[in-house]
Every structure is written in structure tokens, then in C-alpha cells.
Amino acid sequence: MFINQKTGAPYVASQPFKIYFFDFDTGFDGSMVESVEVCGVTEYETSKELYKIDTAVKVELLSHTLGCYRFTATRYGTGGNNPVKKSDAIADSETADDVSDYTREEVLPLLVLLHFPSGRSGFSATYSITSARESPAGRNVLFAGFSQSNYHSFMPCPPHPPPALPPPPSLPPPLPPPPSPPPPSPPPSPPPPSPPPSLPPTARSAPSPPPSAPPAS
């Protein structure tokens, strides 16, 4: 199952994808034969279709409707032909002239490339091995695929959305309130009352002369 690393939820492939299975081989005495059964396959390619090299993998169609196949080893092999990096197992040209003779003869004939449709969040494969005739031992099968980021046949990702606009500049801080006006000045004190006007001096009459004495007779 494909998992979205960020969310942990199943990841649904939006495009068809391909998975390689490598190292289909058997024990030296024809025992311990490896096979893989897979359903949901739309197409497969062996070294014959990929590189014009005879394949050592037997292919059986189990269900055309469900796209189920069984791939079985037919050649003896050891751990020495297990690929450890891409150049050990995958040629970049259709004639495989860019790989070593050992890879052409011992690695490429033992692989198969499976095609799956879009809309899937994984695939299921059943790996089987027949019993050993002598001492028990184990075998393994290898598989790998290309991610969308590094496989040229995938369509490019849609462009990123434009960057978000920067936030508007912050408003300047509000101006401080104007200072309070000074308290009003007290009204001026009233002037002192004016003194009353001076009275004019009173006119005095001259005293009357004393009465005259009567004349003597």
C-alpha cells in the first residue's frame, strides 16, 4: 500500500505506474523454485520485450479479466546475482549495451516489469517457493519502482500556486490625545467701590449784629 508520508493516509496514484521484480531463480538441484502471483496488472514486460534478451522467467496468465499472472523462475541462481543498485538491474537503452556482460546474462533475464493503472493505492503480490530437497534454506525476491519525482515518463506535477500576497503594512500607532487645555483663569476681582463724593462745604451766614440800643431820651 502506498502511504502519504505527511498525513499517513493511503496515497492514490493519479497516473499509471510500474514495478520491477528481480532475481527469479531456483536452487542448484531444481528445487526451491520461486514464483510471484500478482493481479490488477495491465501489462508485463520481461527482458525479451525490454532488451531483446531471452528471459528465464516463465509467465502464466491466471485471469484475463482480473489481470492476474504467475511469474516463475526457471534458472539456477545465487545471491551473487542480486542487484544492489539501479545500474545492476536496469539498462537505460533498449539494447542494454550500457551494462556489463554479467548483468546482461545473469541479472536482466531474471526480471519482469509490471504495469498498473492509475487510481490504485497499492498492489498485492503472493511470493511462493517450493521446498528444498536437502537442507532447508531461504531465498528472496526483490522489487522496486520509480517515484513520480524521478521517472521521466510521469507527467510533470501541476505548477505551484502563486505565493500568498504579503500582509498589508501595519497601520501607524494612533496619535496621543491632545493635551488638556489649562483650566480657565479666575475672573478678575471687582475693583473696590469708589468712595462717595465729598459733600460741598456748607455756606455759613455772617452772624447778625447785636440789636442796637435804643437812643437815649
Side-chain angles (χ1 to χ4, degrees):
M1 177 176 288
F2 308 138
I3 299 296
N4 187 312
Q5 294 183 354
K6 293 183 178 180
T7 65
Y11 175 81
V12 178
S14 61
Q15 302 177 52
F17 60 95
K18 304 174 185 179
I19 298 293
Y20 284 88
F21 279 83
F22 308 100
D23 192 37
F24 284 91
D25 48 22
T26 73
F28 74 94
D29 55 359
S31 63
M32 302 174 64
V33 179
E34 296 177 318
S35 65
V36 171
E37 293 184 14
V38 187
C39 290
V41 176
T42 58
E43 182 185 353
Y44 72 86
E45 295 175 272
T46 66
S47 60
K48 184 69 173 179
E49 292 79 25
L50 291 170
Y51 310 118
K52 309 300 188 292
I53 298 174
D54 289 339
T55 181
V57 180
K58 177 183 177 182
V59 182
E60 298 173 84
L61 175 62
L62 304 180
S63 172
H64 184 273
T65 303
L66 300 178
C68 298
Y69 293 86
R70 179 187 295 121
F71 305 93
T72 305
T74 63
R75 183 194 294 183
Y76 166 68
T78 67
N81 67 346
N82 291 356
V84 295
K85 56 183 182 296
K86 174 180 178 289
S87 59
D88 292 341
I90 302 174
D92 292 329
S93 67
E94 294 183 357
T95 57
D97 55 5
D98 58 334
V99 297
S100 66
D101 291 341
Y102 182 83
T103 297
R104 286 176 54 88
E105 297 170 4
E106 300 297 332
V107 179
L108 299 183
L110 308 184
L111 64 79
V112 62
L113 175 62
L114 306 183
H115 297 241
F116 293 93
S118 61
R120 296 174 62 101
S121 59
F123 65 93
S124 176
T126 301
Y127 173 68
S128 302
I129 180 173
T130 61
S131 61
R133 293 180 182 175
E134 297 180 1
S135 60
R139 303 195 71 86
N140 54 37
V141 65
L142 311 176
F143 65 94
F146 290 96
S147 70
Q148 184 170 351
S149 62
N150 64 6
Y151 193 43
H152 63 83
S153 67
F154 275 86
M155 296 177 62
C157 295
H160 289 288
L165 295 175
S170 302
L171 296 176
L175 296 175
S180 301
S185 301
S189 300
S194 301
S198 300
L199 294 175
T202 304
R204 290 184 175 183
S205 57
S208 301
S212 300
S217 42

